[in-house]
Amino acid sequence: MAAPLVLRLYIAGNSASSRRAQQNLERLRASVSSKGWDVEIIDVLTRPDLADRAGIIATPTLSYEDGPRSRRIVGDLSDTKRILEFMGIEGDHA
Amino acid sequence: MSIAGPSTKPAIDQSEVRFLIEKNADGIIVVDESGVVLFANPASETIFGRPIGSLIGSPIGIPFVVDDMTEISVHQPGARVIDAEIRTVETTWDGRPARLASIRDISSRRATEERLRHAAKMEAVGRLTAGIAHDFNNLLTVVLGNLESAMRVTAGADSRIANALENAARGARQAAQLTAKLLSFARQKPLEARLVDLKELISSLSDLLQRTLGETIVVRTTVAEDLWPVEVDPTELESAILNLAVNARDAMPEGGSIAIEVTNIDRKLADETREDEGRLGPHVLIAVTDSGCGMTPDVLSRVFEPFFTTKPDGRGTGLGLSQVYGFVRQSGGHITLSSKPNGGTRIEILLPKAAAQSDALPPPQASKQDSPFVLHSREGETILVVEDNEDVRAFTSNSLREFGYVVIEASDAHSALKILERGARVDLLFTDLGLPGQLTGKDLAECARAHRPGLKVLITTGYAGDVLIREGRLEAGTRLLSKPFSSAELGGRVRELLNQGNAPTRRVLVVEDEFLLSLLLTDMLSERGFVTEAATSFEEAVLKARSTHHELAAAVVDLGLPDRPGDGLVEELRALRSDLPIVLTTGYADDEIRQRFAPAARLEILTKPFDVDQLIAALERMEVHS
C-alpha cells in the first residue's frame, strides 16, 4: 500500500458505544499490520463542525477514505472480520 | 393478512409489508452497499430529526450489527443526541444488495435507567454516610460534654488550659456541623417540619442574599400571590436556598444575576410523559436560576454526591448540594437541575402542597438559646433519662443534675417502662432513639404516653433512622435534640419543654358511677374546654389519678361510689397532689360531710342536682378556669 489509509472514527463523547468502538478499533490495529494506517478520532460533541461537513448523522461511524473513494460503517466495530473485509484487508490477522 | 400463493409456499402480501413499514414506530431505512440511504419510513423523520427527502441520499454508512442489535447515537440537527438500537437484515433493492435497518429510540428508557441507577447509588452512599455520622455524633457528645466539664472545673485557672479547652471544643463543634451536613444528605437528619409561609421566608431571605452576595450579583425574586402552604423545616429550607445562591455566585465570578421564582404548580398526568408520579399534583415550585458558567453533563451527573466539588482549594466542602438534595427528598419533594456549559444553571425544588389540617409542630415559643440563668430546675422536677451508651448517659444525667433536676436513669425501654409503671414522678422523658431490644425511643414515648397522656418527651438521636420519623417528620408533641448536644443546649431544651407545661392543664378527673350522670358531667366539662378523665369506681379513680396527677387541674368526685366511699378518695387524691382542687358531689346534703370538709382548702361541695354553671362556678372559686 502506497498512500497511507486514512481512517476517521466519529464518536460521541464518552458514551458506551463510543468507548467500545475505540477499543475495537485499537484491537483491530493490533491484530493486523497497521503501519500504513492513519487513525483520527473525532468527537462529534466537541467538533460538530467536522461532523457536519462529513454529514455524520449517527455515531460511532468509521469512515474509510481511500483516495476519492469514501466509505463508512456505523456500529461499534465489534465484527472485526467483516470490517477487515470491508476495508479490503484480507485475513493476515490470526 | 392474506397468506397467498396458489399452490406452493405461503407469502405475506407485499403491500401489507409496505403498510407495516410506513406505520412502524421504529425508524426503518434501506441503505445501499456504499452506506447511502435509499429509503426511509415516516418514523425515521422523528428519530433523525430530518425530513425524509434529506435523509434519502445521505451517507449514513453501512450498519454493521453483530448478534441481534447494536447501540448507536443518532445526531439530530441542533446537537440533540438520541440513543438508539439498530437491527439489520440483508435485502435487495432494485436488484442490488442492500441492508434494511430498523432504528429504535431508547433515550427515554436510558434516562429512566440512569435515574434509577443514580438513585440507587445515592441511597448506598447515604447509608454509609449516615452510619459514620451517627457513630461520630455519639463520640462527639462525649467529647463535648467532657470538655465542658473540664472547662467548668478549671474555670479561673491557667488561661492556657482554658484556651486549649476552648479550641478543642470549637473543633468538636465544627465536627458536629460536618456530621449534621452528612446526615442531611443521607436524609437521616430529623426535620422539624411546620407550615411555612414561603412568601415571607423567601422575601426576608432575598434581602439577606442581596447583602451577602455582593454588588456584582443582582438577586431578583418573584413570588406568586396565594402560594400554597408547604410543610418543611424552615431552617433547612433557608440553608438550602442559601446554598444554591452561594453556588450560583461562585459560578459567576464576574457577576451576574440570580433569579428566585416561587409559584404554585399542579401537574396533571397528561403533562407528564415520564413515570415521575411523585411530581404530579399540587406543588410549590422554587426555582433558582443563575447566569453563570453552567456545568458539563459529567459534572451535572455527580453534583449531588457528597464531597464532589468543582471549587478549588477547599473553597467548597462538596456537601452543599448533597445537603439540599437530602433535605428536599426527605421533605417529600423533588429536585431537578439543568445546566449547560456557559448557559447558566437552573435548579427546581418542588415541595408538595401541605394538607389543610396539619399536625406539624407549632413554632417554638421560646428562643432556642435561653440564657443559662433560666436553665435550672424547679422544685423536684424529675427527668427519666433512657440511653444505652453509658458515657452519653453519664454526661446527660450529670448535666441535668447540675441544673438541679432529679434524674432517674434507665438503659433500655423495658426498665424505663417499669419505672413509669411504678408511678414515680417523671416530668419529662428524655430518651435516645436507638435503644437495645424491641422498643425504640419512639415506641417508648408512645407507651409512656399511653400511661401518662401529655408526658413531655424529648428524643435524642445521632441520626433519625426511619423509625423516629415517618417521612422524616416528628410526631406532634415530641421534641428532638440532635446529638451531639452541649449541656447548655440540653438544659435549654428541657426547660423549654417543661415551661410549656406551665400553661394550666385543664384535665379534670370525673369520678361518678352513674353512667348517665358521668356522661353529663364529661359533656358539661368538655363544652367548657376541659379535657376529662372518667372513672366509675374508687379503684379506677386511684389508678387514673396516679398516672395523670401531674396534669390534673381538678377532680369531680361523687361521694357514693360502689366500692368505697368517695370521701376516702379525697384523702387518696390529696396524698398524690396536696393542692389538687376537688369538687365533691353528693345526692344527700349531708351535714356531717359538709362539716368534715368545710375547713379543707381547695374543696367544694356540690349538692345534686346541679347545673353546669354551678359546677364551673365551684371550679372557678378554686381558680380552675377553662
Side-chain angles (χ1 to χ4, degrees), chain B residues 357-595:
Chain B
Q357 282 295 317
S358 164
D359 59 357
L361 296 172
Q365 275 118 28
S367 71
K368 280 183 182 172
Q369 295 294 317
D370 279 345
S371 91
F373 303 106
V374 298
L375 297 181
H376 288 276
S377 84
R378 303 214 170 87
E379 180 79 47
E381 278 176 331
T382 305
I383 297 172
L384 175 56
V385 173
V386 192
E387 164 71 63
D388 57 316
N389 182 313
E390 275 179 38
D391 291 332
V392 177
R393 192 173 69 234
F395 157 67
T396 310
S397 304
N398 289 341
S399 299
L400 290 170
R401 285 188 185 111
E402 278 181 32
F403 291 125
Y405 294 100
V406 178
V407 177
I408 308 172
E409 296 183 30
S411 61
D412 57 50
H414 188 68
S415 43
L417 280 175
K418 282 208 163 145
I419 292 165
L420 287 166
E421 278 160 16
R422 278 208 311 266
R425 171 171 179 180
V426 173
D427 298 278
L428 184 140
L429 168 66
F430 181 74
T431 176
D432 188 23
L433 175 67
L435 292 174
Q438 297 281 307
L439 298 179
T440 66
K442 187 190 174 202
D443 299 332
L444 170 63
E446 277 166 13
C447 293
R449 283 240 178 79
H451 283 290
R452 301 187 184 190
L455 177 70
K456 306 277 167 57
V457 177
L458 185 56
I459 295 184
T460 181
T461 172
Y463 65 97
D466 38 7
V467 273
L468 166 63
I469 299 182
R470 253 184 261 132
E471 295 161 10
R473 289 137 192 228
L474 273 173
E475 296 275 305
T478 304
R479 284 295 174 137
L480 195 114
L481 182 61
S482 299
K483 284 181 187 172
F485 48 81
S486 69
S487 99
E489 283 166 334
L490 171 67
R493 212 68 202 265
V494 164
R495 195 63 259 160
E496 187 191 330
L497 252 175
L498 287 172
N499 283 353
Q500 280 173 6
N502 281 0
T505 38
R506 297 187 294 269
R507 191 176 289 272
V508 175
L509 178 66
V510 174
V511 192
E512 173 60 64
D513 58 327
E514 276 284 339
F515 172 68
L516 288 174
L517 193 54
S518 169
L519 208 61
L520 180 72
L521 280 170
T522 50
D523 280 352
M524 280 177 177
L525 290 165
S526 308
E527 262 172 38
R528 296 302 176 105
F530 290 100
V531 177
T532 54
E533 283 291 334
T536 54
S537 70
F538 193 106
E539 287 295 335
E540 195 189 352
V542 170
L543 281 174
K544 288 223 161 144
R546 275 197 188 137
S547 62
T548 60
H549 67 271
H550 293 301
E551 291 105 42
L552 283 185
V556 178
V557 177
D558 182 24
L559 255 182
L561 290 171
D563 42 357
R564 285 163 66 183
D567 52 352
L569 189 55
V570 173
E571 280 155 26
E572 284 280 348
L573 292 174
R574 284 284 157 82
L576 285 167
R577 276 266 307 274
S578 57
D579 60 346
L580 182 73
I582 298 175
V583 177
L584 208 54
T585 65
T586 168
Y588 322 93
D590 195 327
D591 276 341
E592 190 244 315
I593 295 287
R594 279 184 191 283
Q595 274 160 19

Side-chain angles (χ1 to χ4, degrees), chain B residues 275-298:
Chain B
E275 77 301 339
D276 308 313
E277 279 176 21
R279 295 171 202 220
L280 299 177
H283 284 78
V284 175
L285 168 73
I286 305 173
V288 180
T289 314
D290 68 53
S291 58
C293 57
M295 284 175 270
T296 61
D298 277 0

Side-chain angles (χ1 to χ4, degrees), chain B residues 299-352:
Chain B
V299 171
L300 200 61
S301 70
R302 297 191 61 193
V303 281
F304 292 129
E305 283 176 33
F307 301 117
F308 179 79
T309 179
T310 55
K311 298 180 186 176
D313 351 306
R315 269 181 74 198
T317 57
L319 288 174
L321 276 177
S322 315
Q323 221 181 324
V324 176
Y325 174 86
F327 157 70
V328 172
R329 298 293 292 140
Q330 194 179 347
S331 304
H334 295 273
I335 181 163
T336 48
L337 218 146
S338 47
S339 184
K340 267 187 195 154
N342 299 318
T345 300
R346 178 179 172 90
I347 293 161
E348 296 191 347
I349 294 176
L350 279 176
L351 294 170

Side-chain angles (χ1 to χ4, degrees), chain B residues 87-135:
Chain B
R87 294 171 170 78
T88 64
V89 286
E90 299 197 348
T91 182
T92 53
W93 185 270
D94 262 356
R96 287 218 294 271
R99 274 164 209 269
L100 181 69
S102 76
I103 299 137
R104 177 169 297 176
D105 182 352
I106 56 164
S107 313
S108 63
R109 194 180 84 200
R110 256 306 125 69
T112 308
E113 284 167 4
E114 182 56 31
R115 275 204 302 281
L116 287 175
R117 197 190 57 76
H118 190 249
K121 183 174 82 179
M122 298 295 273
E123 193 64 37
V125 179
R127 276 174 203 280
L128 181 72
T129 314
I132 295 168
H134 171 252
D135 288 356

Side-chain angles (χ1 to χ4, degrees), chain A residues 57-59 72-74 79 82, chain B residues 59-60 62 64 73 75 99:
Chain A
I57 54 178
T59 55
R72 55 180 62 159
I73 53 181
V74 175
D79 193 348
R82 273 163 74 204
Chain B
I60 183 174
I62 303 166
F64 270 27
S73 305
H75 298 266
R99 274 164 209 269

